[in-house]
């Protein structure tokens, strides 16, 4: 998370990490192992402003990613709202998100939907 290393705090403990503030309501969609949302929450010292979601079910997330369970536990402890089975193309239909307003919606690196390594240049292309 080197890109989040520029941490700025003001007098009232308002934390800024580049484009993200601890005062923003933040929705993360398409999380894989939840490492990005966990990094934000850890730097903020709280996740009460973070809604983190994945397309996969909880069981699939912890089966696919070895650090997912730890990241999810940290997020839960810090107060994040965690959602699984969320299709980012149908957010308006989701009962927990339909009426929510967010300052930032983050979709870092959408899954390609193909099998194999996501770091493979052919997959990325």
């Amino acid at each position: 998370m080197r890109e989040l290393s520029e941490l700025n705090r003001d007098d009232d403990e308002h934390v800024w990490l580049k484009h993200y503030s601890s005062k923003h309501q933040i929705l993360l969609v398409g999380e894989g192992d939840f490492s990005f949302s966990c990094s934000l929450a850890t730097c903020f010292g709280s996740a009460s402003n973070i809604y983190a979601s994945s397309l996969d079910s909880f069981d699939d997330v912890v089966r696919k990613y070895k650090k997912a369970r730890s990241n999810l536990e940290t997020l839960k402890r810090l107060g994040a709202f965690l959602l699984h089975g969320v299709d980012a193309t149908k957010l308006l239909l989701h009962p927990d998100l339909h009426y929510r307003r967010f300052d930032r919606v983050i979709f870092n690196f959408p899954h390609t939907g193909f099998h194999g390594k996501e770091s493979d240049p052919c997959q990325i292309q």
Side-chain angles (χ1 to χ4, degrees), residues 5-23:
S5 63
E6 294 180 23
L7 177 70
N8 294 312
R9 291 184 188 272
D10 62 19
D11 293 334
D12 65 351
E13 291 302 306
H14 181 189
V15 180
W16 277 93
L17 296 167
K18 290 204 174 208
H19 310 290
Y20 313 113
S21 161
S22 58
K23 303 270 182 176

Side-chain angles (χ1 to χ4, degrees), residues 46-94:
S46 170
S48 62
N49 63 322
I50 294 175
Y51 279 62
S53 68
S54 67
L55 178 60
D56 292 325
S57 68
F58 172 83
D59 291 338
D60 286 344
V61 168
V62 297
R63 183 178 46 78
K64 285 181 178 180
Y65 307 102
K66 68 180 178 181
K67 294 194 175 191
R69 187 178 302 274
S70 172
N71 292 335
L72 289 165
E73 287 170 359
T74 299
L75 284 162
K76 186 173 183 178
R77 181 176 46 79
L78 291 172
F81 194 78
L82 302 172
L83 299 164
H84 299 282
V86 176
D87 184 336
T89 66
K90 298 176 182 169
L91 295 177
L92 286 176
L93 303 176
H94 196 282

